C-alpha cells in the first residue's frame, strides 16, 4: 500500500512538473528544447501525408458513391461489421427501366427492341461499375485507411511521448539552474542526464517511424497504379459496351417522318473516336451514312433493278407515300432516281411505297 501511495505521489509530482514547464513555455518564462531540423521536417511530412491521405480517401469515396446517404449507411454497416444490403446502382436502375419499357412496347417493335438492347448495355456498365468499386476498395482505399488507423496512430503516440520526454528534459534543466546547494545540484545533474538519455532515445524511435513514411509513399504509389488500372479497365469496358451497342443500333433508322417532323435527307455519319485505353479496342467508325452506302444496296442503286429483301422489324408508315412493314416478311425493293439514299421503293403485291433500308436485309 505504501509503495502504491509513493508511486502515485511521484506520478503526481512529475505531472505537475510537466504542467508547470508547459505553462512557463507558453508565457515565455522557460526555455524550450528545439527538435533538430531533420526531425521537424519529418514531422511536417507525416502530418501532410495524413491530411492528404484523408482528403484523397474522401474524394475517392465521393467519386465511387456520390450519394451521401448511401455512404453513411455503408459506413454504419462497416462499423457494425455487417454486410450492407445489395442494391442496384444508377446504371442498373436505368437499364431495368429500359428493359421493362421495351417489353411493354414489344420486343418485336423497333423502339421496344432498341430499348431492351440499351437496357442490357446499361446493366453491363452497372456490373463494370461494381467491379471498379470493389477493386478500388480493396487495392486503394483499404491501404490508405490502414495507414491512417495503424501506422499514423503509432506515429502520433510516439510523437506525444517525445513531447512528454522533452518537457521532462526542460524541467530538469530548469531545476538544475535553480539548484544552489551542492547536493541539490548533483541530484539535478543526475536527473538531467537521465532525462536527456530518455529524450534522445525517444527522438530516435520517433525519427525511425517518421522515416518509414517514405515506405508508405512507395506503397501508396503502387496502390495508385492499381487504382488507375482499375479505372482504365472500367472505362475501356464501358467504351466497348457502347461501341457494341452502337453497332447493334446501326440497323435501326435514325430519321422518321410524321406530321410534325420531316425526314432528314442524307443520313449524317456518326464517327466514334478511338480511345487508346486498351490495345484490344479497335478503332470504330459507325454511322447510318456509312451503313447505307455499303454492300448490296450500292449495287442495287447502280443497277436500277429490283431485289428481294427480308423485313427485320415492324414499321408503321408515317405517310401515304410509305409502305408499312411486318417483321420477317419478304418484299421486293428497287431504287428510284432522286430518292433519298436511306430509302427504297418497296412492293408487296399491289401495295407500293417507300421503305427505310435500315429495316431491310437484302436476299441473294
Amino acid at each position: 500500500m505504501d509503495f502504491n501511495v509513493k508511486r502515485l505521489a511521484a506520478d503526481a509530482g512529475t505531472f505537475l512538473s510537466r504542467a508547470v514547464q508547459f505553462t512557463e513555455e507558453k508565457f515565455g518564462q522557460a526555455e524550450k528544447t528545439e527538435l533538430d531540423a531533420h526531425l521537424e521536417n519529418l514531422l511536417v511530412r507525416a502530418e501532410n501525408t495524413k491530411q492528404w491521405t484523408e482528403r484523397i480517401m474522401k474524394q475517392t469515396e465521393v467519386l465511387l458513391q456520390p450519394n451521401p446517404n448511401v455512404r453513411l449507411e455503408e459506413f454504419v454497416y462497416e462499423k457494425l461489421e455487417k454486410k450492407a444490403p445489395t442494391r442496384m446502382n444508377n446504371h442498373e436502375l436505368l437499364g431495368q427501366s429500359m428493359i421493362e419499357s421495351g417489353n411493354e412496347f414489344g420486343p418485336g417493335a423497333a423502339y421496344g427492341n432498341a430499348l431492351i438492347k440499351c437496357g442490357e448495355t446499361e446493366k453491363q456498365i452497372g456490373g463494370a461499375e461494381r467491379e471498379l468499386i470493389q477493386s478500388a476498395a480493396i487495392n486503394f482505399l483499404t491501404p490508405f485507411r490502414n495507414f491512417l488507423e495503424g501506422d499514423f496512430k503509432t506515429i502520433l503516440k510516439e510523437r506525444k511521448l517525445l513531447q512528454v520526454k522533452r518537457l521532462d528534459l526542460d524541467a530538469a534543466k530548469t531545476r538544475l539552474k535553480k539548484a544552489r546547494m551542492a547536493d541539490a545540484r548533483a541530484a539535478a545533474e543526475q536527473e538531467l542526464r537521465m532525462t536527456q538519455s530518455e529524450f534522445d532515445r525517444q527522438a530516435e524511435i520517433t525519427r525511425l517511424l517518421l522515416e518509414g513514411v517514405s515506405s508508405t509513399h512507395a506503397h501508396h504509389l503502387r496502390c495508385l497504379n492499381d487504382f488507375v488500372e482499375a479505372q482504365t479497365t472500367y472505362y475501356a469496358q464501358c467504351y466497348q459496351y457502347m461501341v457494341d451497342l452502337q453497332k447493334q443500333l446501326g440497323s435501326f433508322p435514325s430519321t422518321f417522318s410524321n406530321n410534325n417532323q420531316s425526314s432528314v435527307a442524307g443520313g449524317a455519319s456518326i464517327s466514334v473516336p478511338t480511345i487508346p485505353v486498351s490495345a484490344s479496342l479497335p478503332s470504330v467508325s459507325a454511322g447510318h451514312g456509312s451503313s447505307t452506302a455499303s454492300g448490296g444496296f450500292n449495287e442495287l442503286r447502280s443497277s436500277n433493278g429490283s431485289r428481294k429483301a427480308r423485313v427485320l422489324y415492324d414499321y408503321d408508315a408515317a405517310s401515304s407515300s410509305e409502305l408499312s412493314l411486318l417483321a420477317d416478311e419478304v418484299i421486293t425493293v428497287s431504287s428510284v432516281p432522286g430518292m433519298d439514299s436511306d430509302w427504297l421503293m418497296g412492293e408487296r403485291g399491289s401495295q407500293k411505297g417507300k421503305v427505310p433500308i435500315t429495316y431491310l436485309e437484302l436476299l441473294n
Side-chain angles (χ1 to χ4, degrees), residues 350-363:
S350 60
Q351 296 178 318
K352 189 174 183 180
K354 294 193 302 180
V355 293
I357 66 172
T358 49
Y359 279 70
L360 304 174
E361 177 185 24
L362 292 179
L363 303 177

Side-chain angles (χ1 to χ4, degrees), residues 37 62 69 107 148 187 198 206 210 294 312 319 342 347:
V62 171
N69 294 327
L148 294 173
E198 291 180 353
T206 305
L210 292 172
S294 63
L312 299 174
S319 66
D342 286 337
E347 296 183 41

Side-chain angles (χ1 to χ4, degrees), residues 18-323:
R18 291 168 183 166
V20 170
Q21 177 67 27
F22 181 79
T23 303
E24 290 180 348
E25 287 177 2
K26 289 297 182 182
F27 285 98
Q29 298 173 354
E31 294 183 4
K32 176 181 177 181
T33 299
E34 299 294 339
L35 302 177
D36 66 79
H38 177 60
L39 188 55
E40 287 284 6
N41 290 335
L42 290 176
L43 286 168
V44 171
R45 185 181 66 161
E47 183 62 30
N48 287 339
T49 301
K50 176 251 187 183
Q51 292 179 1
W52 285 109
T53 299
E54 288 178 332
R55 185 169 177 179
I56 292 171
M57 274 188 59
K58 180 180 178 181
Q59 294 304 319
T60 303
E61 290 169 348
V62 171
L63 171 69
L64 299 176
Q65 178 48 263
N67 190 325
N69 294 327
V70 175
R71 290 202 306 275
L72 177 60
E73 181 184 81
E74 292 175 347
F75 174 78
V76 172
Y77 275 101
E78 181 182 349
K79 290 302 179 182
L80 296 175
E81 296 183 350
K82 293 184 178 180
K83 184 179 180 181
T86 303
R87 57 163 56 87
M88 289 194 292
N89 56 38
N90 290 333
H91 283 290
E92 291 170 330
L93 288 170
L94 174 59
Q96 186 66 30
S97 297
M98 286 181 166
I99 290 174
E100 290 176 358
S101 61
N103 288 325
E104 178 70 21
F105 293 128
Y111 182 46
N113 196 349
L115 281 170
I116 292 174
K117 291 183 183 299
C118 290
E120 291 171 347
T121 299
E122 291 294 338
K123 282 198 165 186
Q124 286 180 307
I125 293 176
E129 183 180 304
R130 288 184 183 277
E131 294 176 2
L132 170 64
I133 293 174
Q134 183 180 17
S135 175
I138 295 174
N139 300 321
F140 189 63
L141 293 177
T142 297
F144 275 44
R145 186 175 293 109
N146 289 342
F147 165 72
L148 294 173
E149 297 179 355
D151 293 349
F152 191 75
K153 284 188 175 180
T154 302
I155 290 174
L156 281 180
K157 178 183 175 182
E158 298 300 330
R159 188 174 69 180
K160 289 179 180 178
L161 186 54
L162 177 63
Q163 172 73 353
V164 169
K165 297 300 182 182
R166 186 197 62 76
L167 289 172
D168 290 344
L169 173 61
D170 288 336
K173 290 179 179 179
T174 301
R175 280 191 289 272
L176 178 60
K177 287 182 178 180
K178 294 179 179 179
R180 294 291 181 264
M181 303 299 292
D183 292 344
R185 286 190 64 84
E189 288 174 352
Q190 182 179 359
E191 181 188 13
L192 178 59
R193 286 193 295 270
M194 182 182 69
T195 54
Q196 182 71 59
S197 175
E198 291 180 353
F199 171 77
D200 292 341
R201 178 177 177 274
Q202 185 58 39
E204 180 65 14
I205 292 173
T206 305
R207 181 186 64 79
L208 291 174
L209 285 171
L210 292 172
E211 288 177 346
V213 173
S214 296
S215 298
T216 298
H217 285 184
H219 183 210
H220 286 183
L221 174 58
R222 292 192 295 270
C223 296
L224 184 61
N225 285 329
D226 290 340
F227 183 48
V228 171
E229 183 178 349
Q231 285 185 298
T232 300
T233 300
Y234 168 68
Y235 290 118
Q237 285 178 320
C238 293
Y239 172 75
Q240 191 61 57
Y241 290 149
M242 298 310 293
V243 167
D244 293 342
L245 175 62
Q246 190 180 48
K247 288 180 180 179
Q248 294 180 60
L249 296 183
S251 58
F252 293 89
S254 60
T255 55
F256 295 92
S257 295
N258 53 40
N259 295 331
N260 299 318
Q261 179 180 353
S262 60
S263 63
V264 180
S269 176
I270 303 174
S271 178
V272 179
T274 300
I275 302 178
V277 294
S278 171
S280 62
L281 291 180
S283 175
V284 180
S285 180
H288 300 295
S290 59
S291 63
T292 58
S294 63
F297 290 110
N298 277 342
E299 297 177 4
L300 179 61
R301 291 192 189 92
S302 61
S303 66
N304 292 326
S306 62
R307 291 273 296 274
K308 293 291 185 181
R310 184 175 67 86
V311 177
L312 299 174
Y313 314 101
D314 291 347
Y315 175 71
D316 294 326
S319 66
S320 58
S321 65
E322 298 177 9
L323 180 66

Side-chain angles (χ1 to χ4, degrees), residues 324-344:
S324 294
L325 304 173
L326 295 175
D328 294 326
E329 72 170 320
V330 176
I331 63 174
T332 302
V333 293
S334 58
S335 177
V336 175
M339 181 176 288
D340 192 296
S341 60
D342 286 337
W343 298 80
L344 290 172

